[in-house]
């Protein structure tokens, strides 16, 4: 699992730690992820660790909304024993939306999940009205 002081790590209510990051930024120093979920409009290519890709155009929602939940459930389960990360291009909109949905799976009410992630990850998390509504209904 991540050290609590690892950059850009969100602590969920259960204590699970999930790193969020922007793929256009350099890889942060320190340990690498053991599993990653990448939210991009196009396949980001192979990573040096196990990963999954969800097609998700910038500023929108996942293309396969029904398939998104099981991948998040897997990531949440793995976060209990591995270093996991979620990433998009900038690390805010899609990444923040996924983190907010993970917070919902971890017990945060949907109406409070965006505020939770903005407080525990980044004030810029979840960029669009559509993303906020997606989290609220998740």
């Amino acid at each position: 699992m991540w050290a609590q002081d690892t950059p850009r790590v969100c602590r969920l209510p259960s204590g699970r730690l999930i790193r969020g990051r922007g793929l256009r930024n350099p890889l942060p120093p320190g340990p690498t992820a053991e599993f990653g979920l990448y939210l991009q409009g196009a396949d980001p290519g192979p990573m040096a660790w196990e990963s999954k890709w969800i097609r998700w155009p910038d500023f929108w929602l996942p293309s396969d909304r029904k398939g998104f939940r099981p991948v998040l459930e897997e990531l949440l389960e793995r976060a209990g024993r591995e270093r996991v990360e979620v990433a998009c291009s900038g690390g805010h909109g899609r990444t923040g939306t996924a983190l907010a949905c993970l917070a919902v799976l971890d017990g945060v009410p949907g109406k409070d999940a965006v505020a939770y992630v903005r407080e525990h990850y980044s004030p810029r998390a979840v960029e669009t009205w559509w993303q906020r509504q997606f989290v609220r209904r998740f």
Side-chain angles (χ1 to χ4, degrees):
M1 296 196 327
W2 299 111
Q4 188 165 354
D5 62 345
T6 303
R8 304 287 308 261
V9 169
C10 182
R11 178 181 289 279
L12 296 175
S14 65
R16 289 182 171 98
L17 301 172
I18 299 169
R19 180 172 73 185
R21 71 181 181 101
L23 292 172
R24 67 176 169 228
N25 301 323
L27 190 62
T32 59
E34 295 169 283
F35 178 75
L37 175 60
Y38 302 100
L39 313 169
Q40 297 283 102
D43 188 340
M47 300 291 168
W49 46 83
E50 188 179 352
S51 64
K52 290 193 176 177
W53 163 60
I54 297 284
R55 182 180 305 280
W56 189 333
D58 201 7
F59 300 109
W60 290 98
L61 299 173
S63 297
D64 179 6
R65 292 182 190 111
K66 289 182 182 177
F68 181 58
R69 185 183 195 100
V71 174
L72 281 187
E73 289 170 344
E74 176 186 357
L75 186 125
L76 183 63
E77 188 271 324
R78 291 177 80 150
R81 65 182 194 289
E82 298 176 54
R83 289 184 308 275
V84 300
E85 72 174 9
V86 176
C88 63
S89 294
H92 295 101
R94 294 168 284 184
T95 296
T97 302
L99 288 169
C101 290
L102 285 163
V104 170
L105 290 175
D106 206 49
V108 175
K111 66 182 181 57
D112 301 327
V114 171
Y116 182 90
V117 171
R118 287 179 175 168
E119 179 182 341
H120 293 92
Y121 172 66
S122 169
R124 295 177 52 203
V126 191
E127 294 176 317
T128 70
W129 181 86
W130 297 107
Q131 292 169 346
R132 288 191 303 275
Q133 292 305 307
F134 182 71
V135 171
R136 191 176 205 44
R137 296 176 180 153
F138 192 78

